[in-house]
Amino acid sequence: MQPESVTDAAWPTLLSRLPASLDLASSARECRALLRRRGIPDAETLLRLALSYGGRGLSLRGTAAWAEMASVASLSDVAVLNRLRGSASWLAMIVGAILSARVASPAVTGLRLRVVDATTLAAPGSAGVDWRLHVAYDAGAQQTVAVELSDGSGPESLRRFAWERGDLILADRGYAKAGDLAAVADAGADFIVRIGWNALKLRTPDGAPLDLFAALDRLPEQGMAEAEIGVALGRAGTKLLPVRLVMLRKTEADAEASRRKARRKRRR
């Protein structure tokens, strides 16, 4: 049950991927995340504990048990909770540093990473969704660049914001709509979005329907592949938007967890 991202073998590699300018020890002190070292000797251990809890979905009790068995730290589940509560601003700073370093890297020089998402709001006593807050965030500048408030029926859409050449939009699968993606491309911008299995009409470069499940079946567990394909536009679907599809096949355990989550959501 060890989280793969924080095992002894993988941990040095993960640390090496952090920005060279990021000093975990000093930043933890500045953010007051590590004022007491009882049970947690240093900032690296605190980060490893946070990743084991948030990165792999362990419970507080499971995180404490894993840390004890792996000789990472000796804490109760309440102590884990208190340490993580005190680390929120520090973890946010680490995420910001990682995003800033990646945006500024030579591979994406000149691109502005815009993260788009929405959240729902309800009035006191309401049983449903009264408003939806749509936000565009500049990951490089680490600031919100656009906000729109709609009523509860207002859908998530990339067309709510104005895009320019050089923008790279990162969005979840709720934004994977053919017309929206075409509008981003028409503005000269680029996008990275997750997709649902039936959200888009996927085509091979010659226009034939793409069998997504067959493509995934050919991959081993945790295998990755990519393909140049097209997204059919309009009702006729004769015009194609060229895109690159990246596929990652889950492990059977992760797939079963996703199925359970989908069943719970359907029952609700």
Side-chain angles (χ1 to χ4, degrees):
M1 294 228 7
Q2 281 193 335
E4 296 173 1
S5 59
V6 289
T7 57
D8 290 336
W11 182 240
T13 301
L14 188 148
L15 283 178
S16 69
R17 293 176 180 173
L18 294 176
S21 60
L22 178 62
D23 187 322
L24 290 178
S26 62
S27 61
R29 288 194 300 271
E30 291 171 9
C31 295
R32 303 179 65 82
L34 193 60
L35 298 179
R36 298 175 59 207
R37 297 178 182 271
R38 183 177 178 182
I40 298 182
D42 51 42
E44 288 187 8
T45 301
L46 180 58
L47 178 59
R48 192 173 180 185
L49 194 71
L51 290 176
S52 70
Y53 174 71
R56 296 295 293 177
L58 293 178
S59 65
L60 290 170
R61 183 171 297 178
T63 301
W66 168 81
E68 186 77 38
M69 291 188 295
S71 299
V72 171
S74 182
L75 298 165
S76 67
D77 53 346
V78 175
V80 171
L81 174 61
N82 291 334
R83 289 305 184 103
L84 294 181
R85 279 178 172 172
S87 303
S89 60
W90 179 56
L91 295 173
M93 191 212 70
I94 293 174
V95 172
I98 293 172
L99 290 175
S100 296
R102 291 185 178 182
V103 171
S105 67
V108 290
T109 297
L111 295 181
R112 297 175 295 273
L113 180 60
R114 310 291 205 197
V115 183
V116 179
D117 206 353
T119 188
T120 57
L121 304 171
S126 174
V129 176
D130 296 299
W131 304 284
R132 186 168 277 111
L133 184 65
H134 310 267
V135 179
Y137 179 80
D138 186 323
Q142 299 184 43
Q143 63 182 17
T144 300
V145 293
V147 175
E148 181 175 315
L149 183 66
S150 71
D151 60 23
S153 61
E156 296 176 330
S157 173
L158 294 178
R159 283 190 273 198
R160 291 188 178 277
F161 306 111
W163 307 112
E164 300 177 355
R165 187 173 300 278
D167 287 338
L168 174 60
I169 296 96
L170 179 65
D172 211 343
R173 60 184 181 181
Y175 294 88
K177 302 169 184 175
D180 290 13
L181 301 182
V184 171
D186 289 342
D190 296 288
F191 55 81
I192 301 174
V193 296
R194 295 175 63 200
I195 63 170
W197 69 273
N198 62 347
L200 301 170
K201 297 177 181 177
L202 304 181
R203 300 287 186 264
T204 62
D206 59 4
L210 177 69
D211 190 336
L212 183 59
F213 290 105
L216 287 169
D217 281 342
R218 289 192 290 268
L219 295 177
E221 286 194 1
Q222 294 186 301
M224 179 180 288
E226 60 181 69
E228 300 295 330
I229 64 168
V231 172
L233 303 176
R235 290 188 176 183
T238 54
K239 183 180 179 181
L240 298 181
L241 173 66
V243 298
R244 181 167 62 97
L245 176 65
V246 179
M247 297 170 284
L248 172 65
R249 182 167 181 171
K250 294 183 176 182
T251 64
E252 183 54 36
D254 287 341
E256 180 56 32
S258 296
R259 286 190 285 267
R260 288 196 300 268
K261 182 178 179 180
R263 286 192 289 267
R264 287 196 301 268
K265 183 177 180 180
R266 182 179 60 195
R267 285 194 295 269
R268 288 197 300 269

